[in-house]
Amino acid sequence: MTHDTTTPQPAAPAPPAVNPDPEPYLSVVVPIYNEAENLRPLCQTLSEVLSAGSWSHEVIMVDDGSTDGSADILVELHQAYSWLKVVRFRRNFGQTAALAAAFAHARGEVIVSLDGDLQNDPADIPKLVAKLNEGYDLVNGWRVDRQDPFWQRRLPSQIANWVISLLTQVKLHDYGCTLKAFRRHIAKDLKLYGEMHRFIPALARDLGATITEMPVTHHPRTRGTSKYGLARTLWVILDLLTVKFLSSYATRPSHLFGLLGFVSLLVGGLITTVLGVQRLFFAVELSNRPLLLLGLLLIVTGVQFLTMGLIGEMLIRTYHESQEKPIYWIKDVLE
Ligand code: UDP
Ligand code: MG
């Protein structure tokens, strides 16, 4: 039997930590879906604009399941440009998902989002960042001279902008503009679902962001095709409902449903009481009174609204407590 008598050697001191890949100051994020012809000119312009500035930078392009060879071109560009990071989706998940993935991968202190079709001008990036550094959390681009078809795109978009600014707390001219600059923590805290990228300013405001806007250049699409048509206007209306509900009642659903429930119960109760009195004391026949049906219906819906509010209250507790999500956002703590 042998005994190992060698004493363990002390581990060699670790070399001083040198971060091989320090965090950049600026992350530019771009959703890409079937933009094969735009990718090379886009990277060329980004390269010129970003190398002219003094900020350390990275660009994150998310390939949203392109089917036109964009993914292969991105691989090639990734080898050519050291600042380019590429995230590739397994299939098409939509612009909102692509933006969310890009935000999750971005490491910069400042994040700028940009369309991948060269309709937004990368030359605006330094101006947006400068504006952000005047003390804002979000600077929204405003395509003052928007180069898209009028009936199909500009008019629906103008109406949408008007309604959104009426119903949400943020007053901007152009919610749909992808060209935006964010402080990192705002972009990272955004919870994006469905087609919600249009509501980023409203969602950011719910996080307590200070928001401003700034005119930016807009070019007509010269290569590739637009991914959207008139149909998305309907989705915008439904999304608006969600955003409005979440920003006002996400932590107190019973206030909304309770109010509806009480009104419904009150009116239903009143109707049935009047009919009941007529039947009991004045011998009025109720078999031919449609009002009775309305009164009963209102009572039933009233009870349903009230219980829906209570279920909502339980759901938000599960949401916040099971994931330890606070119901507030802290700016900073002075100790
Ligand atoms: N896009 C995407 N996934 C989609 C649709 C679009 O990543 O499912 C990207 C697209 O490649 C472009 C940006 O989102 O970079 C805006 O799309 P598009 O230019 O078609 O929209 P428009 O400018 O017409 O509003
Ligand atoms: Mg476009």
Side-chain angles (χ1 to χ4, degrees), residues 31 33 35 64 92 95 115-117 119 153 221 226-227:
Y33 181 51
E35 304 287 0
D64 185 12
N92 179 243
Q95 188 182 344
D115 272 347
D117 55 0
Q119 287 199 267
R153 305 302 310 279
R221 207 184 231 281
S226 172
K227 313 300 179 294

Side-chain angles (χ1 to χ4, degrees), residues 30-35 62 64 92-95 98 114-117 119 143 146 148 153 178 218 221 225-228 232:
V30 195
I32 301 289
Y33 181 51
N34 292 348
E35 304 287 0
V62 179
D64 185 12
N92 179 243
F93 284 95
Q95 188 182 344
L114 186 77
D115 272 347
D117 55 0
Q119 287 199 267
R143 296 165 289 182
R146 188 168 167 187
D148 276 321
R153 305 302 310 279
T178 310
H218 195 242
R221 207 184 231 281
T225 50
S226 172
K227 313 300 179 294
Y228 301 105
R232 77 170 160 188

Side-chain angles (χ1 to χ4, degrees), residues 15 36 45 49 82 91 107-109 139 161 181 184 187 248 266 319:
T45 328
V49 170
S82 60
R91 65 167 173 85
R107 297 174 308 145
E109 182 48 43
V139 181
N161 284 328
R184 180 211 339 238
S248 308
L266 198 74
Y319 172 79

Side-chain angles (χ1 to χ4, degrees), residues 27 29 99 103 110-115 120 125 128-129 132 138-141 172 174-182 190 197-202 216:
S27 296
V29 303
L99 275 175
F103 289 152
V110 168
I111 300 179
V112 174
S113 58
L114 186 77
D115 272 347
N120 293 141
I125 295 175
L128 282 176
V129 177
L132 192 78
L138 167 57
V139 181
N140 198 77
L172 297 175
D174 187 8
Y175 297 86
C177 182
T178 310
L179 187 53
K180 292 178 169 69
F182 303 83
L190 285 173
H197 57 270
R198 182 180 285 273
F199 295 97
I200 285 177
V216 294

Side-chain angles (χ1 to χ4, degrees), residues 35 82 117 131 139 157 175 234 237 241 248 256 299 301:
E35 304 287 0
S82 60
D117 55 0
K131 185 83 186 170
V139 181
S157 170
Y175 297 86
L234 178 66
I237 297 167
L241 198 70
S248 308
L256 176 68
I299 290 177
T301 31

Side-chain angles (χ1 to χ4, degrees), residues 150-287:
F150 179 76
W151 290 105
Q152 239 187 335
R153 305 302 310 279
R154 280 189 359 243
L155 182 70
S157 170
Q158 262 166 29
I159 298 172
N161 284 328
W162 179 73
V163 178
I164 295 172
S165 107
L166 198 73
L167 291 184
T168 66
Q169 308 288 327
V170 214
K171 307 296 170 211
L172 297 175
H173 287 93
D174 187 8
Y175 297 86
C177 182
T178 310
L179 187 53
K180 292 178 169 69
F182 303 83
R183 295 245 153 256
R184 180 211 339 238
H185 58 93
I186 293 295
K188 298 251 175 200
D189 288 341
L190 285 173
K191 297 274 172 282
L192 300 174
Y193 291 90
E195 296 272 300
M196 292 278 176
H197 57 270
R198 182 180 285 273
F199 295 97
I200 285 177
L203 299 172
R205 191 212 162 259
D206 289 345
L207 302 179
T210 49
I211 303 170
T212 189
E213 68 183 349
M214 182 181 171
V216 294
T217 324
H218 195 242
H219 302 290
R221 207 184 231 281
T222 49
R223 306 182 194 85
T225 50
S226 172
K227 313 300 179 294
Y228 301 105
L230 203 54
R232 77 170 160 188
T233 323
L234 178 66
W235 309 139
V236 170
I237 297 167
L238 290 171
D239 285 346
L240 184 61
L241 198 70
T242 312
V243 168
K244 181 77 189 147
F245 172 71
L246 287 181
S247 74
S248 308
Y249 298 102
T251 55
R252 50 187 190 107
S254 72
H255 286 190
L256 176 68
F257 292 111
L259 182 73
L260 292 172
F262 270 129
V263 171
S264 186
L265 269 180
L266 198 74
V267 178
L270 217 68
I271 291 175
T272 44
T273 310
V274 169
L275 291 181
V277 168
Q278 288 183 342
R279 175 74 191 87
L280 287 176
F281 301 108
F282 301 96
V284 178
E285 284 294 326
L286 290 188
S287 56

